[in-house]
Amino acid sequence: MILKISQRIFTSKRYKKIDILIVRIMVHTMNFNSAENKTEVSDYQMQQLEELVAKLFQCCQEYMQYQSERLGLPGAELRCLMLFEREHYLTPKSIAHKLNVVKSRVTMIVNKLLVKKYLQKVQDPEDSRVALLSTTAEGNRKIDEIRRFQSYFYHQVLCQVAPEQRKAMMTNLNLLRASMESLKELMV
């Protein structure tokens, strides 16, 4: 949900006021959650956070585009296929929930993966009305290829950071993630 909101916000100049409001709410939430930090947030801090999040979001989008092109698989199909990395069987409804998209969108994605022979339909042994989806041998090979590609990419990212700074970077990224996730309640 945050990804969808962020994508809309950071790709349109007319949402600048919403941008500032969300950043202020984020910073307020971070300050509110910190017992030691009761100071006011400066406009400079909000602007800096806004710019950093926008740049990080843009980098992530560019990586996803590059990954899709290199692996020959659109982003939605790639994300759907990767759900099977940890699950042997999924239903279209569970895929829709995990991808945060409507079921009709999942049907389109799944149909494309079925045509590419990455997924197959099997009947649920407990309920013949339910069709389960699972990966084929070709789908498992594609998942392995995606995983190798992602591992290489994240290894290269970590190599850009000095070893003694990696732990601090991970801690700060987790703090940012937690702060942004705490705002989900305000976005409903």
Side-chain angles (χ1 to χ4, degrees):
M1 180 166 193
I2 286 178
L3 181 62
K4 287 181 184 176
I5 291 170
S6 299
Q7 186 175 21
R8 187 181 75 221
I9 289 169
F10 293 124
T11 57
S12 175
K13 297 219 184 263
R14 66 184 177 165
Y15 291 102
K16 187 73 172 167
K17 289 182 180 178
I18 295 172
D19 248 359
I20 293 168
L21 177 64
I22 288 177
V23 171
R24 285 183 183 188
I25 291 170
M26 285 173 51
V27 173
H28 173 73
T29 302
M30 287 185 277
N31 286 338
F32 181 78
N33 289 336
S34 173
E36 303 85 36
N37 189 1
K38 298 291 183 188
T39 61
E40 190 65 29
V41 175
S42 72
D43 287 339
Y44 173 75
Q45 288 173 322
M46 288 187 297
Q47 181 182 0
Q48 191 175 23
L49 177 62
E50 178 183 347
E51 290 171 7
L52 288 170
V53 170
K55 286 177 185 175
L56 183 61
F57 184 74
Q58 182 180 354
C59 285
C60 291
Q61 284 185 314
E62 290 170 0
Y63 164 71
M64 294 301 289
Q65 180 65 36
Y66 175 71
Q67 176 180 254
S68 291
E69 290 170 4
R70 284 290 306 268
L71 296 167
L73 204 58
E77 292 176 32
L78 192 144
R79 287 189 307 277
C80 180
L81 189 58
M82 290 309 288
L83 294 176
F84 291 90
E85 184 178 34
R86 293 184 180 93
E87 311 241 8
H88 293 292
Y89 299 99
L90 291 169
T91 63
K93 183 178 180 179
S94 65
I95 292 171
H97 178 72
K98 290 173 187 280
L99 293 178
N100 196 25
V101 297
V102 294
K103 197 170 170 227
S104 60
R105 176 74 177 123
V106 169
T107 300
M108 291 179 3
I109 295 167
V110 165
N111 285 342
K112 290 177 182 178
L113 292 171
L114 288 167
V115 167
K116 293 175 181 174
K117 306 278 192 237
Y118 293 147
L119 294 182
Q120 62 186 351
K121 285 186 181 181
V122 294
Q123 292 298 320
D124 185 341
E126 295 176 13
D127 187 349
S128 60
R129 298 171 296 167
V130 177
L132 298 174
L133 297 162
S134 68
T135 52
T136 62
E138 185 64 29
N140 288 327
R141 283 191 287 278
K142 192 66 169 179
I143 289 171
D144 289 342
E145 180 185 358
I146 294 166
R147 177 51 53 215
R148 284 190 308 274
F149 181 88
Q150 290 174 341
S151 293
Y152 175 79
F153 175 80
Y154 292 119
H155 179 266
Q156 294 303 311
V157 169
L158 287 171
C159 286
Q160 302 300 311
V161 179
E164 63 276 3
Q165 293 178 325
R166 291 178 191 155
K167 185 176 181 180
M169 179 186 73
M170 297 302 218
T171 300
N172 290 325
L173 284 172
N174 271 314
L175 177 62
L176 177 62
R177 178 198 49 79
S179 297
M180 292 180 83
E181 285 182 352
S182 71
L183 294 177
K184 284 182 182 179
E185 296 169 6
L186 299 173
M187 294 182 188
V188 178

